Amino acid sequence: MKVKITEVALAAGVSSATVSKVLSGRTGYAVHAATAERVRQAALHLGYVPDLAARNLRTGRTGQLGVVLEAVGSSEPDSLLGGVTAGSAVRRTFDGAIMAGLNDAARELEVPALVVYPGGGKPPASYLDGRVDGLLISCDPLRGHGLLEALSGAALPIVALWTENPPPGMSAVDVDHQAGGALATDHLLGLGHHRVAFYGGGEASGVEHFRRRELGYRQAMLAAGAPVQTALHDGALLVEAVRRGEVSAVFAETDLAAAAVVQALSRAGLSVPGDVSLVGFDDILGAEYIAGGLTTVYHPAAEMAAEGVHALMRRLQGESASQLLLPPHLIVRRSAQTQSESPVRQEWRLKRPPKM
Amino acid sequence: MKVKITEVALAAGVSSATVSKVLSGRTGYAVHAATAERVRQAALHLGYVPDLAARNLRTGRTGQLGVVLEAVGSSEPDSLLGGVTAGSAVRRTFDGAIMAGLNDAARELEVPALVVYPGGGKPPASYLDGRVDGLLISCDPLRGHGLLEALSGAALPIVALWTENPPPGMSAVDVDHQAGGALATDHLLGLGHHRVAFYGGGEASGVEHFRRRELGYRQAMLAAGAPVQTALHDGALLVEAVRRGEVSAVFAETDLAAAAVVQALSRAGLSVPGDVSLVGFDDILGAEYIAGGLTTVYHPAAEMAAEGVHALMRRLQGESASQLLLPPHLIVRRSAQTQSESPVRQEWRLKRPPKM
DNA sequence: CTGTTAGCGCTTTCAA
DNA sequence: TTGAAAGCGCTAACAG
């Protein structure tokens, strides 16, 4: 059945202790090169696979990192995200990105496995059962820091994702939403728009990240000496404002909100970017099909997750807790154009699509 | 430091064996109710958390399920998906859905944790190191069954996702793509369209799933006595076919392909659903913004993952390998309309064939 | 109903 | 440079 270390020892003509020294992966043991080689051959030949449980019991470590996906699979309505209904789709996109980032980093750092906790039920206790050496928590921004607080005193090194200000002792990685908001707004400003509105802040206004995006907008407007407008989160109101000539460009809180803007505008016979320039945030799947190509702020979720793994590994190597804010960057497509180009007839555009 | 079972025993005034009986979760032991309660109190009071490694070593089981996400985080070009470039975004969406489904099922079945292997590096050996009781493999349809074959002889129960015909001994869960293709086509047929084309089959034609979708199309067309057309995978060709009056409706291989269809058509001044009815496949994020609401086939990826967990648990309880094909369902939005409703704007439409 | 006992397979001093 | 021996913390027979 299962090959154990003693059988390898027997085959190689050495003791189990020697086999362990060779195969444990730990360097620094004094083993004769020839002996080591003999052991490795025997192990390979017998198809030896070390028993993790035994090793963990002995060493007290597992080499595994734990992951808590706070929001994943939850079936709560998440219409808050983006201010428009989106099922669980947006979350799933981000969770997929998180997993991708975690996987890449784990592979790179040779972390053998990630332990993903289903979450939902009884949280804290099970995270501390020695299954993992450290914990990554992908927080749900909609839920506040309840889980982090609960884990606050834990002996386990923890790094929080989607979090700017973690409880003391924890590391954190987040995207710099404020910088992203400023980036989007500056882009519009740079295109000659002064009458830039922020679209969002509706039901989702309680979400820290979205407030930071708006803060970035305000900061950029202020810095440019442009008039900060009160946030809009109603299509009809936006249409009126556009008609009154009060807004020529919109920075939407999320790409989904941007899609809602496009829809509201187009129902009123207004087009993007013909009548209004638009910038979104997130670069979700399908962004290139919104308004013929939505200019938006790329949200580095996968990168954030990867940085989280790095941060956790550093903690495991004795470094102290750290905090990191990832800069987002702009993806320029077609939904935002210079103001002078704006008043262009729709028919004209059909015949001569603007070059990228 | 860490509380162990003997300390709980001491505090409760019983032996460690009794504590184990009470706390192991295993029922069927004869323990006095009062004693059990005393033990539980002591454990709670001391903050006892069982050491998983020790338990696993002793019992030989872990209660954990392993997950291999074959495609996740891979940075290979995946332009094949949908026949149009999409970065890793589509995959990530599906991986997010997979994780959501796994999590929900794990929570429901009280699986304490899922072990996710980074994959990529050296595969098989590490999956068999006793870390998990069974393995879920989310196969990459673009890669064939290499990994499954390699794991073919393994002692571990394995269930393959995204797979219709696994190697003998393995369970498998997949979506019924052929049924989905038929569903989409029948919908168009039911709307009065006879000249239905299949869009896809380009570079991605090697992908089994997509071929099955096309098979569903053929099957439905045949059954309806409608003319099966050769697959189109070029926007210009499609436009010509539409202009010649050869096609009034399109079933696109994927939603992304559908988006490409919309784009090609609109560049030629043709609209969806005005000139052409369109049905996609997948219901990706943003599908509601394609063509003002893409009618599409919902791809139950999360459900597939959940079924996979159930299948694996069944295997662990001694049942034999099983195979399951999940039926997709149609999501009706606006991109497909009855032929008579389509605004008649082209000359050729004036002599459209009588409805039957 | 409760306690004693013997390991699970591995790593790690320590002595040879 | 190698080997003998002592557990890591828990569970499962088996006695009592």
Side-chain angles (χ1 to χ4, degrees):
Chain A
M1 270 228 33
K2 234 174 93 185
V3 184
K4 46 185 86 162
I5 209 171
T6 52
E7 305 179 36
V8 177
L10 201 63
V14 296
S15 76
S16 66
T18 302
V19 175
S20 172
K21 283 169 189 156
V22 175
L23 264 31
S24 70
R26 212 147 128 17
T27 62
Y29 283 119
V31 179
H32 201 92
T35 313
E37 189 49 30
R38 202 145 32 88
V39 169
R40 266 187 285 267
Q41 287 303 329
L44 192 65
H45 185 69
L46 295 173
Y48 169 73
V49 179
D51 183 299
L52 265 286
R55 175 176 285 179
N56 296 346
L57 177 56
R58 189 56 236 244
T59 63
R61 291 180 313 89
T62 66
Q64 296 180 145
L65 302 182
V67 178
V68 179
L69 262 24
E70 209 184 356
V72 84
S74 98
S75 48
E76 301 168 29
D78 59 355
S79 62
L80 293 183
L81 282 169
V84 301
T85 308
S88 311
V90 176
R91 265 191 198 168
R92 284 182 180 177
T93 303
F94 280 118
D95 286 324
I98 294 289
M99 287 309 299
L102 292 178
N103 265 286
D104 283 345
R107 192 178 311 143
E108 183 196 337
L109 299 178
E110 301 192 324
V111 174
L114 299 170
V115 175
V116 177
Y117 292 96
K122 25 133 228 213
S126 62
Y127 303 158
L128 309 172
D129 59 10
R131 220 182 288 252
V132 298
D133 296 343
L135 209 51
L136 256 318
I137 302 185
S138 176
C139 299
D140 182 351
L142 264 42
R143 242 181 264 199
H145 287 183
L147 180 56
L148 294 188
E149 308 290 357
L151 253 18
S152 188
L156 214 58
I158 295 180
V159 6
L161 264 28
W162 307 100
T163 302
E164 236 177 88
N165 298 304
M170 291 188 190
S171 293
V173 187
D174 200 357
V175 169
D176 193 339
H177 293 271
Q178 187 171 342
L183 206 57
T185 310
D186 279 335
H187 180 66
L188 258 5
L189 255 8
L191 254 20
H193 296 275
H194 291 255
R195 295 156 299 157
V196 181
F198 175 80
Y199 186 90
E203 319 158 69
S205 63
V207 179
E208 175 78 8
H209 289 160
F210 296 154
R211 269 181 304 184
R212 287 194 182 273
R213 292 176 185 187
E214 184 176 2
L215 219 57
Y217 156 79
R218 288 167 178 279
Q219 167 198 319
M221 292 296 274
L222 244 30
V228 173
Q229 309 197 4
T230 57
L232 254 25
H233 50 95
D234 179 290
L237 258 31
L238 173 61
V239 167
E240 275 179 39
V242 171
R243 289 236 165 91
R244 282 198 304 266
E246 288 166 17
V247 354
S248 72
V250 174
F251 163 42
E253 191 171 61
T254 65
D255 287 354
L256 246 22
V261 166
V262 172
Q263 212 157 65
L265 251 24
S266 97
R267 285 214 182 106
L270 263 14
S271 81
V272 174
D275 300 297
V276 177
S277 275
L278 180 63
V279 176
F281 202 122
D282 284 343
D283 194 34
I284 59 173
L285 176 63
E288 41 190 320
Y289 298 112
I290 297 173
L294 183 66
T295 291
T296 190
V297 179
Y298 174 75
H299 185 144
E303 291 78 355
M304 177 178 70
E307 286 300 336
V309 175
H310 282 99
L312 188 47
M313 293 301 276
R314 272 186 262 120
R315 288 238 43 200
L316 290 176
Q317 270 144 38
E319 292 185 32
S320 55
S322 61
Q323 282 163 242
L324 180 63
L325 232 39
L326 254 44
H329 66 265
L330 199 70
I331 295 192
V332 177
R333 285 192 274 244
R334 307 182 173 177
S335 63
Q337 300 291 341
T338 46
Q339 181 147 36
S340 54
E341 271 186 26
S342 301
V344 170
R345 299 284 311 168
Q346 191 90 31
E347 282 77 6
W348 189 88
R349 299 181 73 83
L350 277 179
K351 287 175 192 159
R352 290 190 192 187
K355 290 191 180 170
M356 305 244 320
Chain B
M1 265 225 36
K2 231 171 98 187
V3 184
K4 44 186 87 164
I5 210 170
T6 52
E7 305 179 36
V8 177
L10 200 63
V14 296
S15 76
S16 67
T18 302
V19 176
S20 173
K21 284 170 189 154
V22 175
L23 264 29
S24 71
R26 211 148 131 17
T27 62
Y29 283 119
V31 179
H32 202 92
T35 312
E37 190 48 31
R38 202 144 32 88
V39 168
R40 266 187 285 269
Q41 286 304 328
L44 192 66
H45 185 69
L46 295 172
Y48 169 74
V49 179
D51 183 299
L52 265 284
R55 175 177 287 179
N56 296 347
L57 176 57
R58 187 56 236 239
T59 62
R61 291 180 314 90
T62 66
Q64 296 180 145
L65 303 182
V67 177
V68 179
L69 263 23
E70 209 184 355
V72 84
S74 98
S75 48
E76 300 168 30
D78 58 355
S79 62
L80 293 181
L81 282 169
V84 299
T85 309
S88 312
V90 176
R91 266 190 198 168
R92 284 182 181 175
T93 303
F94 280 117
D95 286 324
I98 294 289
M99 287 307 301
L102 293 178
N103 264 286
D104 284 345
R107 191 177 312 143
E108 183 196 337
L109 299 178
E110 301 193 327
V111 174
L114 300 170
V115 175
V116 177
Y117 292 95
K122 22 134 232 204
S126 62
Y127 303 158
L128 308 172
D129 59 10
R131 222 182 287 252
V132 299
D133 295 343
L135 209 53
L136 256 318
I137 302 185
S138 176
C139 299
D140 182 351
L142 264 43
R143 243 182 263 199
H145 287 184
L147 180 56
L148 294 187
E149 307 290 356
L151 254 17
S152 189
L156 214 59
I158 295 180
V159 7
L161 264 26
W162 307 100
T163 302
E164 233 177 271
N165 298 304
M170 291 189 192
S171 294
V173 187
D174 200 357
V175 168
D176 193 340
H177 293 271
Q178 186 170 343
L183 206 57
T185 310
D186 279 336
H187 181 64
L188 258 5
L189 256 8
L191 254 18
H193 295 276
H194 292 255
R195 294 155 299 158
V196 181
F198 175 79
Y199 187 90
E203 319 156 67
S205 63
V207 179
E208 175 78 9
H209 289 160
F210 296 155
R211 268 181 304 183
R212 288 196 181 273
R213 292 177 185 185
E214 183 175 1
L215 220 58
Y217 156 81
R218 289 169 177 278
Q219 166 198 319
M221 292 296 274
L222 245 30
V228 173
Q229 309 197 4
T230 56
L232 253 26
H233 50 95
D234 179 288
L237 259 32
L238 172 61
V239 168
E240 276 178 39
V242 171
R243 287 236 167 90
R244 282 199 304 266
E246 287 166 19
V247 353
S248 71
V250 175
F251 163 42
E253 192 171 59
T254 65
D255 287 353
L256 245 23
V261 165
V262 171
Q263 212 158 66
L265 252 23
S266 98
R267 286 215 180 103
L270 264 15
S271 82
V272 174
D275 300 298
V276 177
S277 274
L278 180 62
V279 175
F281 203 122
D282 283 343
D283 194 35
I284 58 173
L285 175 63
E288 43 190 318
Y289 298 110
I290 296 173
L294 184 68
T295 291
T296 190
V297 179
Y298 174 76
H299 185 144
E303 291 78 354
M304 177 178 68
E307 286 301 336
V309 175
H310 282 99
L312 187 49
M313 293 300 276
R314 272 185 263 119
R315 288 240 38 203
L316 290 175
Q317 270 144 37
E319 293 184 31
S320 55
S322 62
Q323 281 163 242
L324 179 64
L325 232 39
L326 254 42
H329 66 264
L330 198 69
I331 295 191
V332 177
R333 284 193 274 246
R334 307 184 175 171
S335 63
Q337 300 292 341
T338 45
Q339 183 148 31
S340 53
E341 272 184 28
S342 304
V344 179
R345 295 198 341 218
Q346 311 282 334
E347 296 162 25
W348 56 263
R349 284 214 176 247
L350 294 176
K351 34 183 172 180
R352 65 178 184 273
K355 286 169 72 171
M356 48 180 293

